[in-house]
Amino acid sequence: MTVSDTAASERTVKPSSGWRLVASEISLLYRRLRTWAMMAALAAIPVLIAIAVRLTSGPPEGRGPAFLDQITENGMFVALTAMIVAVPLFLPLTIGVVAGDTIAGEANLGTLRYLLTAPAGRLWLLIVKYLGAAVFCLTAPLIVAISGILMGLALFPVGPVTLLSGETVEFGEALTRLAFIVLYITVSLLGLSAIGLFISTMTVIPVGAMATTVGVAVVSQILGSLPQLEWLHQWLFSHYWFGFADLLRDPISWQSFGDNALLQLGYLIVFGALAYGRFTTKDVLS
């Protein structure tokens, strides 16, 4: 398939057909046993945290992840602690698996050439695959939050929550802020998904694309921890991953949210363009 053939095919895409492809992609993603296994693993994070705290006298003050020593006083902190634990490794791991499999998985199975038949062009296929990964970017932190809330309600007292700024808010408002945190983390993972999509166009081995995407996330965080590279930190897609702490202050500071969204948008544009450039020249018939 040549570039001109690709362009002609893309012009034939009808909106209704395109959105059916999106629905089909999302449905396929959530029918996979691997996806359910990853969701179960994410849900297990707050479960393990809550049970461990419940069965012990609690961690020494100031030890362990943020909010861990406050769980026994308010179960709401189970979800917040689980978020802190999941963000640096577990969430990037699952996103790396989903994003890395987008194109490489189809190429490995030999189904990629059939997906490119009319009315689906290469550009639209990339969009569909990215949207599927983006939906999982929302699903993953949402599962951690819901599991954390349920475990907190089941094992600990729940009531008004003291924010980082010292003010106290009712449980309902705390849930709203937790929803904002889920949205914040979702946005944080969109840049990594774009990187994974690009890497996935470069290979027919999905495991390699998954591992490389996860490795990029790890390297970004390592670079972000080195004070000698402080000039680079603001350009790393993981730089604002823990900026959701600003959502636990009164009044809420949206600065980190906006900066994070702008940074992730930049990564989406750059790596989306790279993925398109690579994919339009890729020989899927070999």
Side-chain angles (χ1 to χ4, degrees):
M1 180 181 289
T2 65
V3 174
S4 60
D5 293 335
T6 300
S9 177
E10 288 167 356
R11 285 195 294 270
T12 66
V13 177
K14 297 179 179 180
S16 58
S17 299
W19 289 114
R20 281 199 296 271
L21 287 174
V22 174
S24 176
E25 174 66 20
I26 294 174
S27 175
L28 177 62
L29 174 63
Y30 289 99
R31 290 202 307 268
R32 288 173 175 160
L33 181 60
R34 178 181 64 202
T35 303
W36 283 94
M38 291 191 298
M39 293 192 296
L42 291 173
I45 296 173
V47 173
L48 294 175
I49 291 174
I51 292 177
V53 173
R54 183 65 178 177
L55 295 180
T56 63
S57 57
E61 188 173 353
R63 299 278 297 278
F67 307 119
L68 185 62
D69 56 354
Q70 302 181 54
I71 289 177
T72 55
E73 300 176 4
N74 195 325
M76 183 70 181
F77 288 106
V78 173
L80 294 174
T81 303
M83 288 291 190
I84 296 292
V85 172
V87 163
L89 177 60
F90 297 104
L91 289 176
L93 177 62
T94 57
I95 298 305
V97 170
V98 172
D101 187 59
T102 48
I103 301 299
E106 300 290 355
N108 183 261
L109 293 173
T111 55
L112 185 57
R113 69 188 68 181
Y114 302 109
L115 291 175
L116 293 174
T117 58
R122 298 196 181 202
L123 175 59
W124 187 250
L125 180 59
L126 283 175
I127 293 174
V128 167
K129 290 295 184 179
Y130 182 78
L131 288 177
V135 170
F136 191 80
C137 287
L138 172 61
T139 301
L142 185 60
I143 287 176
V144 176
I146 292 175
S147 177
I149 292 171
L150 294 177
M151 291 304 299
L153 290 171
L155 298 180
F156 304 100
V158 173
V161 176
T162 301
L163 302 176
L164 295 178
S165 53
E167 291 81 0
T168 299
V169 298
E170 296 299 323
F171 181 70
E173 183 176 343
L175 285 178
T176 300
R177 290 175 181 253
L178 182 61
F180 285 145
I181 290 175
V182 169
L183 181 59
Y184 184 101
I185 296 175
T186 299
V187 172
S188 299
L189 297 171
L190 294 179
L192 179 61
S193 293
I195 295 173
L197 179 69
F198 167 61
I199 294 173
S200 190
T201 64
M202 301 180 68
T203 180
V204 297
I205 305 175
V207 174
M210 297 173 191
T212 302
T213 304
V214 176
V216 168
V218 173
V219 169
S220 178
Q221 294 179 82
I222 292 175
L223 294 177
S225 67
L226 299 177
Q228 294 85 352
L229 298 176
E230 186 175 358
W231 59 271
L232 179 64
H233 293 175
Q234 62 180 333
W235 303 105
L236 299 172
F237 62 85
S238 60
H239 180 59
Y240 294 104
W241 276 6
F242 288 101
F244 60 78
D246 288 343
L247 301 176
L248 297 175
R249 305 181 190 279
D250 191 28
I252 292 177
S253 174
W254 297 100
Q255 182 67 41
S256 293
F257 201 123
D259 291 342
N260 184 38
L262 186 61
L263 179 64
Q264 304 306 324
L265 177 61
Y267 271 88
L268 172 57
I269 292 173
V270 171
F271 283 92
L274 290 174
Y276 178 70
R278 166 62 180 169
F279 197 45
T280 52
T281 59
K282 184 182 181 69
D283 182 12
V284 301
L285 300 179
S286 60

